[in-house]
Amino acid sequence: MFISGFYGKLPYTVLARIFGGYTMSAVARFDLTMDVEEKDIVSRAAALTGTTMAAFVRTAAKEKARELLDRESRITMTTQDFQAFTTALNEAFVPNAALQKALDLAHEVRRV
């Protein structure tokens, strides 16, 4: 077969372009051990939603993970902290003495 001559030589994305959009999706496995009570609870909940146990667990885990990642990517400030933060952003920047010295030296350096 013609494709076999390319095996291991071209990335799949190139083959996809050559052979009309054939795409492959990556699948990762995750094994989970549950006790009987946990499995029964998940099984009953999956049945109530009309889905498989695997789909139910995958959906629940993804929702929880997104919720956690969303919460951890936010910064919570008190009103006083927020006021100080916005004031600092809105005021003109004034470098301290050490930074000003470094800036002055950088302007003196001739760049190649």
Side-chain angles (χ1 to χ4, degrees), residues 55-70:
F56 180 82
V57 170
R58 184 174 43 251
T59 301
K62 194 177 352 176
E63 286 175 3
K64 187 67 173 181
R66 284 186 176 151
E67 176 186 305
L68 176 64
L69 292 172
D70 183 54

Side-chain angles (χ1 to χ4, degrees), residues 6 8-10 17 19 21 23 40 43-44 54 56 83 86 96 112:
F6 290 111
K9 296 179 183 159
L10 292 174
R17 278 187 239 122
F19 295 105
T23 58
D40 182 53
S43 176
R44 289 176 26 215
F56 180 82
Q83 290 297 328
T86 55
N96 63 21
V112 178

Side-chain angles (χ1 to χ4, degrees), residues 36-106:
V36 176
E37 182 183 346
E38 290 169 332
K39 184 179 179 197
D40 182 53
I41 292 169
V42 171
S43 176
R44 289 176 26 215
L48 285 172
T49 60
T51 186
T52 64
M53 285 179 53
F56 180 82
V57 170
R58 184 174 43 251
T59 301
K62 194 177 352 176
E63 286 175 3
K64 187 67 173 181
R66 284 186 176 151
E67 176 186 305
L68 176 64
L69 292 172
D70 183 54
R71 186 179 71 226
E72 290 301 312
S73 66
R74 295 175 188 232
I75 298 172
T76 305
M77 294 184 210
T78 65
T79 304
Q80 182 179 0
D81 290 338
F82 181 73
Q83 290 297 328
F85 179 71
T86 55
T87 299
L89 289 176
N90 291 331
E91 290 180 355
F93 174 72
V94 180
N96 63 21
L99 180 56
Q100 187 60 56
K101 182 178 178 181
L103 289 169
D104 293 341
L105 285 172

Side-chain angles (χ1 to χ4, degrees), residues 2 6 10 13-21:
F2 181 70
F6 290 111
L10 292 174
T13 54
V14 172
L15 289 175
R17 278 187 239 122
I18 293 171
F19 295 105

